[in-house]
Amino acid sequence: MSEQLNEQELVQYIADKTKADVKHIQLVLKHEQAYLNNAKSDDVDIDDIIDYILRRPDVKLNELTVDSILEAEMDYLIKKGFVTYED
């Protein structure tokens, strides 16, 4: 992977796609990273991540917003070649 992940560019991409507040996006991404860091395997379900994020006391977002943020993040990562979509 020759390109490094540009977090500011990622957050701006998600904000443009979802119209979510930048602080909310950063909070969702922070909790997503914490979940992934503690995951027992590489086989992670998006619904489990969403549930985990929604249970955090500092998250006051609805499920649709969290899902939209995570979907936009995945779009960005695929477009930039950081991940590939595997069904």
Side-chain angles (χ1 to χ4, degrees):
M1 198 177 331
S2 61
E3 189 177 346
Q4 270 196 306
L5 179 64
N6 180 331
E7 188 175 345
Q8 283 183 311
E9 184 179 272
L10 168 63
V11 170
Q12 188 59 54
Y13 178 87
I14 295 170
D16 291 345
K17 288 282 247 190
T18 65
K19 307 302 182 217
D21 183 90
V22 168
K23 290 188 186 315
H24 292 152
I25 293 167
Q26 292 169 329
L27 185 62
V28 167
L29 296 179
K30 177 185 91 166
H31 287 306
E32 175 196 27
Q33 191 59 55
Y35 179 89
L36 293 173
N37 288 345
N38 293 316
K40 302 277 188 262
S41 74
D42 290 337
D43 189 23
V44 177
D45 183 71
I46 186 79
D47 292 328
D48 293 340
I49 297 173
I50 292 169
D51 289 343
Y52 173 84
I53 292 169
L54 291 173
R55 286 193 308 266
R56 301 302 95 202
D58 57 343
V59 175
K60 307 292 185 227
L61 303 170
N62 62 40
E63 183 175 349
L64 182 59
T65 302
V66 173
D67 185 47
S68 297
I69 290 169
L70 295 176
E71 289 293 326
E73 176 195 25
M74 186 57 72
D75 263 3
Y76 175 87
L77 295 174
I78 290 171
K79 283 182 182 178
K80 293 293 186 172
F82 289 106
V83 297
T84 57
Y85 184 76
E86 294 177 3
D87 233 320

